[in-house]
Amino acid sequence: MSGFVECDAGSSSGDSAISPEHIVVLYASETGNSQDIAERVGRECRRRGGKCVVVSMDMFDISELPHTPLLILITSTHGQGEPPPAMKRLWSALIRSVLPTDILEDVRFAIYGLGDSSYEKFCYAGKMLARRMLGLSAHLIGQPAWGDERAPDGLEETFLPWLEQTMDLMIPLLPAALKDVETAPGTALPPPLYSIEFEQGHLPDITALEINGDGNEKCVIEAAPVRSIDKNRGETSELSKPDDWGWATLSKNQRVTSRDWWQDVREIELDIEDDRFRTYVPGSICGLQPKNSAEDVETFLEMINLTSVADDELRIHSNIEDQPVPAHLPPADSPTTLRSLLLNHLDLRASPRKSFFEWLRRLTPDETERERLDDFLGDPNEIHDYATRPSRTILETLADFRYTRIPLSHILEILPPLRRRQFSIASSSSAHPGKIQLLIALVEYKTNLKIPRKGLCSSWLKDLRTGSKIAITIDPPTMFLPSHDDYLVLVGPGTGIAPMRAFVEERIRQGAAKRTILYFGCRSRSNDLYYSSEWTRYETLGFKLRVAASRDQDEKVYVQHLIKEDRATINQWLYDCKGYIFISGSSNAMPRQVREAVSWCLSTDGAGKLSSGEATTYVEDMFEDGHGMEESW
């Protein structure tokens, strides 16, 4: 387990002046991994007899932080070292210069960061957070750990020893009354965190599910209680959105790659209905909330024998004090149905994580399935080969473990959230008032088992008809346009062209066409050169376009090759004129290779006056001071 050298673990023995009542686990998640890790921490804490609440950072009352004696922080890193969106409110509060340096002296904390070591700023958000907590006099318990998704055993390599260390150090700090219970076995089913209360209707055919544990006794999962109120079958396909989202209407869903091309890329246009979102900054990000298919939902309901109550009205409540209902679920005062939860809130197409197999191990009554699950849980490679590599879904996994049923009492904990998908907006609101335009590549492929796969969002979008109402939200950009007087180099291969198109539209409106150059990477000018007619029109105004169509000739040509060809222009714009460069696209080798190409242009090997080392440092400094910006995924 790698330590965080800036943190002095030896200074973690401070005595808190506040008596701890429970452990608070705060997480910030972008893809769901951090939330999954946080929930596993909460289950382990409660298994050992501790009291614990698990809350997303953006749902936590920041004013309570100084009064939180025992705290566990879990965060991913977003983009190029940025805090994930859920962490930003907490981070903004922590970095205020007016905060007393001892404001967190009563807080003892542990921290786990998630990241990918292929990124230069590996787990940077977690490291920043740990440093700032220490700077405000919080006391570090144990050593932090940084989970690397590229490690041989993935996140488990650092998470499991960190979890053991953290629980060993934190549980003894709780009052004796909270932890003075016998530790439950790891395969025991924990009490449900949330209760599902029906407003009307009837219980499913199975009111209790018996599961043989490792001991002699049986664990019985009781179904949620039912209130006998007048029966009223609700509409099963009702529209649903979070309160802070708005509505838009789909006005265009058009394929823009040729019909015989290998990839289906769509131009999506939305008419904005919510006045809050009618005007947005170029480079802004649109969030869409996809839905599961009705067929997948029906299949799942049949698997767990709950079709009979799928359309009965229900409400969700938390069974633990101070533990809120997660943001991805309807609030307690909002009635819903099980079918609506499965359509709009819970993901059936996700590839199961280790935690899902831990749940199956607690639930299965079959000895053969238990043995198979024990193998999975004992070796991360088993899960990778079974679930991750072939992109096996939760539905397919349940069909494979045919003796296992997910009980209604735990369904909200076992199924992961149906997460929003984010797309860079490809339009400028000044050029397209009241509209949002997106460029989306549909995810369709075959697994290593030769099984056709479609992404959940892709399947939803592909079949969505014009006129459909869609829930949207708009987040601020990660790249911001400089002044119209500045020179701007844009690099956007593939669908990375989306935000670049928005920037070009705005630069044209500002009269900055002659100070804008775009490097666009595609495979074929005739098949996937997006917005080609627009670029032709803008070129008459002085806008410069360079297209790297990699497959149109025997030797592949990429954007970094064209940048090197234009070394004199790059050196003049970015060094002599102190211009800006934006990079957008896949987070593979492309961003690094573009930076290297720019460094070469500024060096004496290219058209500049800097040594190779000086040029590399210059480009790195550009991305530190905002003259260079990157958005990759």
Side-chain angles (χ1 to χ4, degrees):
M1 175 165 41
S2 58
F4 177 31
V5 295
E6 290 86 354
C7 296
D8 181 8
S11 65
S12 62
S13 59
D15 293 326
S16 175
I18 304 173
S19 175
E21 296 182 356
H22 54 247
I23 296 172
V24 175
V25 182
L26 298 182
Y27 67 87
S29 190
E30 184 67 17
T31 63
N33 284 335
S34 293
Q35 180 175 351
D36 183 68
I37 289 289
E39 290 171 349
R40 288 175 66 185
V41 171
R43 284 194 290 274
E44 178 63 14
C45 176
R46 289 186 284 267
R47 186 183 74 85
R48 295 187 181 212
K51 187 176 179 183
C52 178
V53 296
V54 180
V55 185
S56 177
M57 289 184 187
D58 56 359
M59 294 183 67
F60 181 69
D61 183 352
I62 296 173
S63 65
E64 290 298 313
L65 190 62
H67 313 294
T68 305
L70 294 178
L71 178 66
I72 297 177
L73 299 167
I74 298 171
T75 182
S76 60
T77 293
H78 181 63
Q80 297 298 310
E82 293 294 318
M87 178 180 150
K88 288 184 176 179
R89 188 171 64 93
L90 175 63
W91 180 246
S92 297
L94 288 174
I95 61 175
R96 293 172 57 207
S97 59
V98 298
L99 290 180
T101 57
D102 62 350
I103 191 171
L104 298 183
E105 64 179 353
D106 291 329
V107 177
R108 286 174 282 193
F109 77 101
I111 187 165
Y112 184 78
L114 292 77
D116 182 331
S117 59
S118 67
Y119 283 81
E120 182 180 354
K121 295 186 176 180
F122 171 60
C123 289
Y124 194 65
K127 294 174 181 178
M128 289 194 306
L129 184 56
R131 184 183 295 115
R132 185 53 179 162
M133 293 289 292
L134 289 170
L136 296 175
S137 301
H139 304 280
L140 179 65
I141 290 181
Q143 289 286 347
W146 314 120
D148 182 8
E149 294 179 0
R150 291 185 180 266
D153 289 340
L155 299 176
E156 301 297 298
E157 190 168 290
T158 52
F159 172 65
L160 293 178
W162 172 86
L163 178 61
E164 185 73 17
Q165 165 198 268
T166 302
M167 292 295 102
D168 287 347
L169 293 173
M170 277 204 173
I171 294 293
L173 299 177
L174 291 168
L178 294 181
K179 62 180 187 298
D180 190 18
V181 297
E182 183 178 350
T183 300
T187 55
L189 189 71
L193 292 181
Y194 312 105
S195 60
I196 293 178
E197 184 177 286
F198 284 92
E199 298 289 350
Q200 71 287 317
H202 53 278
L203 281 171
D205 295 336
I206 48 171
T207 58
L209 183 64
E210 293 185 348
I211 298 141
N212 293 321
D214 290 337
N216 295 323
E217 296 183 357
K218 291 182 178 180
C219 174
V220 179
I221 309 168
E222 296 294 341
V226 174
R227 287 172 53 188
S228 298
I229 301 179
D230 293 340
K231 188 173 183 62
N232 176 26
R233 287 190 172 268
E235 175 63 37
T236 60
S237 59
E238 72 273 15
L239 296 172
S240 174
K241 72 172 182 63
D243 291 340
D244 56 344
W245 286 41
W247 291 112
T249 300
L250 180 68
S251 55
K252 180 190 289 186
N253 186 353
Q254 178 179 326
R255 177 169 177 149
V256 291
T257 46
S258 58
R259 285 293 166 189
D260 57 349
W261 192 238
W262 68 279
Q263 188 177 39
D264 185 349
V265 178
R266 297 293 175 106
E267 184 176 332
I268 304 294
E269 184 176 81
L270 304 171
D271 293 336
I272 305 170
E273 297 183 13
D274 193 312
D275 289 340
R276 294 174 298 168
F277 300 140
R278 293 186 69 83
T279 302
Y280 49 87
V281 179
S284 293
I285 298 168
C286 179
L288 302 180
Q289 185 67 58
K291 298 174 66 171
N292 285 304
S293 70
E295 293 77 14
D296 282 351
V297 170
E298 193 62 35
T299 297
F300 179 79
L301 288 168
E302 291 174 357
M303 282 181 174
I304 61 174
N305 296 334
L306 288 175
T307 304
S308 60
V309 293
D311 301 301
D312 290 353
E313 195 171 271
L314 59 84
R315 294 176 190 267
I316 302 167
H317 302 280
S318 174
N319 293 332
I320 297 180
E321 185 179 0
D322 297 327
Q323 174 67 62
V325 173
H328 70 276
L329 297 174
D333 59 353
S334 176
T336 184
T337 65
L338 179 57
R339 191 182 302 276
S340 179
L341 287 172
L342 295 170
L343 280 169
N344 301 303
H345 302 278
L346 301 171
D347 198 343
L348 301 176
R349 289 272 198 97
S351 185
R353 296 182 173 93
K354 180 180 179 179
S355 59
F356 185 78
F357 294 102
E358 290 174 340
W359 281 113
L360 295 190
R361 178 60 181 84
R362 298 181 183 108
L363 292 168
T364 183
D366 182 72
E367 183 63 33
T368 302
E369 289 188 354
R370 275 194 225 124
E371 291 176 358
R372 190 179 183 194
L373 289 164
D374 285 337
D375 290 339
F376 282 3
L377 298 177
D379 184 355
N381 289 327
E382 291 283 336
I383 294 177
H384 179 78
D385 291 341
Y386 174 82
T388 309
R389 285 185 62 204
S391 301
R392 199 182 304 268
T393 68
I394 283 175
L395 269 180
E396 290 170 326
T397 302
L398 287 174
D400 199 14
F401 288 85
R402 58 194 183 92
Y403 292 104
T404 305
R405 298 288 184 271
I406 296 178
L408 185 61
S409 56
H410 288 71
I411 195 170
L412 302 179
E413 299 172 65
I414 297 175
L415 295 181
L418 186 57
R419 296 194 168 275
R420 68 176 179 175
R421 272 54 168 181
Q422 292 185 304
F423 301 96
S424 297
I425 297 177
S427 54
S428 161
S429 64
S430 59
H432 306 274
K435 295 182 181 295
I436 291 173
Q437 294 182 344
L438 307 173
L439 187 69
I440 300 177
L442 302 191
V443 178
E444 299 177 317
Y445 60 99
K446 287 187 177 181
T447 71
N448 62 330
L449 300 178
K450 307 302 181 184
I451 301 173
R453 289 279 191 256
K454 291 182 180 180
L456 185 146
C457 190
S458 298
S459 298
W460 171 69
L461 277 174
K462 187 171 185 177
D463 298 330
L464 208 58
R465 296 182 178 180
T466 56
S468 299
K469 185 174 286 191
I470 298 176
I472 65 165
T473 188
I474 296 180
D475 292 323
T478 58
M479 301 182 289
F480 298 88
L481 273 180
S483 165
H484 67 277
D485 293 325
D486 291 309
Y487 286 85
L488 179 60
V489 177
L490 303 172
V491 185
T495 53
I497 197 64
M500 303 310 181
R501 190 250 192 165
F503 291 140
V504 170
E505 286 187 332
E506 193 65 14
R507 295 278 286 184
I508 297 298
R509 188 188 69 82
Q510 294 173 345
K514 295 180 180 180
R515 292 180 293 278
T516 307
I517 185 169
L518 169 64
Y519 292 88
F520 181 16
C522 63
R523 295 197 176 197
S524 165
R525 285 177 177 268
S526 60
N527 290 295
D528 60 344
L529 178 53
Y530 313 126
Y531 307 115
S532 58
S533 61
E534 294 182 19
W535 307 138
T536 300
R537 186 168 71 253
Y538 296 153
E539 284 181 299
T540 64
L541 303 175
F543 163 74
K544 299 172 181 62
L545 173 69
R546 296 283 274 139
V547 178
S550 61
R551 304 298 198 273
D552 279 354
Q553 58 284 311
D554 293 337
E555 187 174 347
K556 294 178 182 177
V557 176
Y558 299 112
V559 287
Q560 60 266 26
H561 298 142
L562 299 187
I563 288 172
K564 283 190 171 185
E565 287 182 10
D566 298 344
R567 52 188 176 275
T569 299
I570 295 298
N571 183 68
Q572 179 187 6
W573 282 30
L574 297 184
Y575 185 77
D576 296 340
C577 299
K578 301 295 184 288
Y580 292 73
I581 181 169
F582 294 172
I583 305 171
S584 175
S586 173
S587 60
N588 53 22
M590 182 274 297
R592 174 181 55 80
Q593 291 171 345
V594 168
R595 292 194 194 201
E596 290 173 351
V598 172
S599 297
W600 182 86
C601 293
L602 307 187
S603 73
T604 53
D605 294 330
K609 300 178 180 179
L610 302 177
S611 68
S612 177
E614 289 171 337
T616 298
T617 300
Y618 184 89
V619 173
E620 289 175 354
D621 290 343
M622 286 182 67
F623 283 86
E624 289 293 331
D625 66 20
H627 275 70
M629 300 184 194
E630 182 179 318
E631 182 177 287
S632 56
W633 52 86

